[in-house]
Amino acid sequence: MVLYTMVWYKMVLYHEDQPHRVRIFVRMDRHPGGTRRRTILGMAVALLSSCRPPHASTQASIEFIRVPQADEGGREKQDIIQGRVSGARPGQQIVLYSKSGVWWVQPLVDHPFTKLKGSIFSGASHLGTEYAALLVEPGYRPPDTVKELPAPGGSVAAVATVKGSNTPPSKSIAFSGYEWRVRDAPSARGGQNDYDPGNVWTDAGGALHLRIAKVSGKWTCAEVSLTRSLGYGTYSFVVRDTSHLEPAAAFAMFTYDYAGADENYHEMDIEISRFGDPASKNAQYVIQPYYVPTNVVRFDEPPGPLTHSFRWEPGRVSFTTTQRSKVISERVFTSGIPSHGIDSPRMCLYVYHKAKIPLENGAEVVIDKFEYLP
């Protein structure tokens, strides 16, 4: 004959984030083997663990994957900084800092946040001796400058710092009195395209060449971006004949601002392409987003050298294309005009992968001159 004894215990559990108590009554049956006893206690432990905050076991961390060069006097110049975040929660953002004496928020005081795309962040930064990234909660207000960075805790989930690189992370090239960064990373412009720095060079006369060429059986493209921001003013590009481009090739002269994600990256374009349709006009002016019909004006550019320009003012952009002082096309936009931030002009020759007829022979574009006037 086996005797069973029932004993009731009252357990009081405290949730570490809540002031109230959770009471659990556990009945323990004492009998040979103790099987029932262990089962009930296991349930109690499970209940205890369920009271932990959902993020207690998640430790966020930041890793840099592209670091600008070190430059104490780098307020005029900028570069791209990129990194990867592990353990980020919805709503969290990145705050970037560059150190030049003290830590300066990047890229601008009125644009202090860099959004995460999945686990990756990518933003523009003025140059400094060191760089920092903070993963912060919604509602965090970063100071414009600090002598010491905040430690993790409260609204700051993670902090990482890195010294500036000894050399620039990308090749640069001199053209028309400016320094231009040469793209070497893939881009989704036109579809997924690879970029090869070997497709960019200047000749003995100082002209800039951009090329689409095959490498290991795959097309590679070319892009350059100015290493500084110029702001409002007139941007002019003197370009040799581009009327010969195949319908699947595209040449763009445009502005782009990593900090302007909420305003379509401040992108405004002069684009030379038929975008895959041989019967289409071969040029257009665009204020992004392009899917707004009034933001796009297409026109036909003739053979021969052309000067493409735009005058950017607050709330207004005027595009003009001329040939030997003759106006080929012009348009004034006054709606959806982006404000000046940390944008820079860029030139890109790329493959339009949605074309019905794929690119056959590659392409080359020659830019004789770039000019900016405030």
Side-chain angles (χ1 to χ4, degrees):
M1 180 177 181
V2 180
L3 296 177
Y4 290 83
T5 304
M6 293 189 297
V7 182
W8 288 90
Y9 293 91
K10 180 174 76 174
M11 302 174 64
V12 181
L13 310 180
Y14 292 86
H15 193 295
E16 58 186 278
D17 283 352
Q18 299 178 4
H20 61 270
R21 296 182 298 179
V22 181
R23 296 181 178 178
I24 302 174
F25 292 89
V26 181
R27 189 186 75 177
M28 308 183 88
D29 299 344
R30 294 178 180 170
H31 61 87
T35 303
R36 181 66 63 103
R37 183 180 195 179
R38 285 193 295 269
T39 303
I40 300 297
L41 284 174
M43 291 174 62
V45 171
L47 287 167
L48 273 167
S49 64
S50 69
C51 295
R52 295 174 184 170
H55 55 80
S57 60
T58 301
Q59 183 72 32
S61 63
I62 302 171
E63 172 192 8
F64 292 99
I65 55 179
R66 178 190 167 97
V67 180
Q69 71 185 95
D71 189 335
E72 289 187 6
R75 293 188 64 185
E76 289 297 320
K77 294 175 60 177
Q78 62 190 44
D79 204 342
I80 308 306
I81 185 169
Q82 295 175 320
R84 181 182 295 108
V85 178
S86 299
R89 298 192 300 278
Q92 291 181 328
Q93 297 184 91
I94 291 292
V95 175
L96 298 170
Y97 280 93
S98 173
K99 190 173 186 179
S100 183
V102 297
W103 292 98
W104 299 77
V105 72
Q106 298 298 315
L108 296 169
V109 170
D110 54 355
H111 287 88
F113 296 106
T114 298
K115 293 185 177 181
L116 286 167
K117 292 184 177 180
S119 62
I120 303 297
F121 66 87
S122 182
S125 174
H126 293 92
L127 300 188
T129 56
E130 295 181 65
Y131 302 92
L134 282 62
L135 180 65
V136 300
E137 302 288 352
Y140 178 76
R141 294 185 177 182
D144 300 347
T145 62
V146 291
K147 291 183 178 180
E148 300 290 337
L149 295 170
S155 295
V156 179
V159 178
T161 62
V162 65
K163 291 186 180 298
S165 300
N166 293 329
T167 58
S170 297
K171 173 185 173 182
S172 64
I173 193 168
F175 170 62
S176 282
Y178 293 93
E179 182 182 2
W180 301 79
R181 181 170 49 251
V182 180
R183 188 180 189 98
D184 56 9
S187 168
R189 185 175 297 272
Q192 194 65 26
N193 276 307
D194 291 334
Y195 288 77
D196 184 352
N199 290 336
V200 178
W201 72 94
T202 54
D203 60 30
L208 177 69
H209 294 245
L210 303 181
R211 178 180 63 184
I212 297 174
K214 273 191 176 179
V215 175
S216 301
K218 185 176 182 180
W219 292 117
T220 59
C221 306
E223 180 178 313
V224 295
S225 58
L226 201 63
T227 59
R228 56 180 295 192
S229 180
L230 300 175
Y232 297 123
T234 301
Y235 297 72
S236 297
F237 307 81
V238 180
V239 184
R240 296 182 195 175
D241 185 13
T242 51
S243 63
H244 63 279
L245 291 178
E246 294 180 42
F251 173 56
M253 299 152 278
F254 62 104
T255 58
Y256 193 88
D257 184 350
Y258 275 95
D262 295 334
E263 293 184 273
N264 300 289
Y265 297 98
H266 296 182
E267 184 172 343
M268 302 177 291
D269 310 76
I270 302 171
E271 295 179 305
I272 313 302
S273 182
R274 299 185 190 277
F275 292 105
D277 182 0
S280 173
K281 295 178 179 181
N282 64 350
Q284 64 183 22
Y285 306 135
V286 184
I287 303 294
Q288 296 294 340
Y290 67 90
Y291 51 77
V292 177
T294 55
N295 284 6
V296 180
V297 173
R298 292 191 60 75
F299 63 96
D300 278 314
E301 68 157 26
L306 295 169
T307 298
H308 302 281
S309 64
F310 61 89
R311 174 72 183 173
W312 184 17
E313 304 169 89
R316 178 187 175 95
V317 174
S318 306
F319 289 94
T320 306
T321 296
T322 60
Q323 187 175 60
R324 302 183 186 90
S325 300
K326 178 185 177 181
V327 175
I328 303 300
S329 181
E330 58 185 348
R331 182 60 177 241
V332 176
F333 294 87
T334 57
S335 178
I337 307 305
S339 56
H340 166 50
I342 196 172
D343 33 75
S344 62
R346 303 181 177 211
M347 291 174 278
C348 180
L349 180 62
Y350 62 96
V351 180
Y352 182 69
H353 287 283
K354 295 181 182 179
K356 296 178 181 179
I357 303 175
L359 188 68
E360 295 181 358
N361 301 307
E364 184 176 332
V365 170
V366 182
I367 305 96
D368 281 313
K369 184 180 179 181
F370 166 78
E371 185 177 36
Y372 167 78
L373 296 173

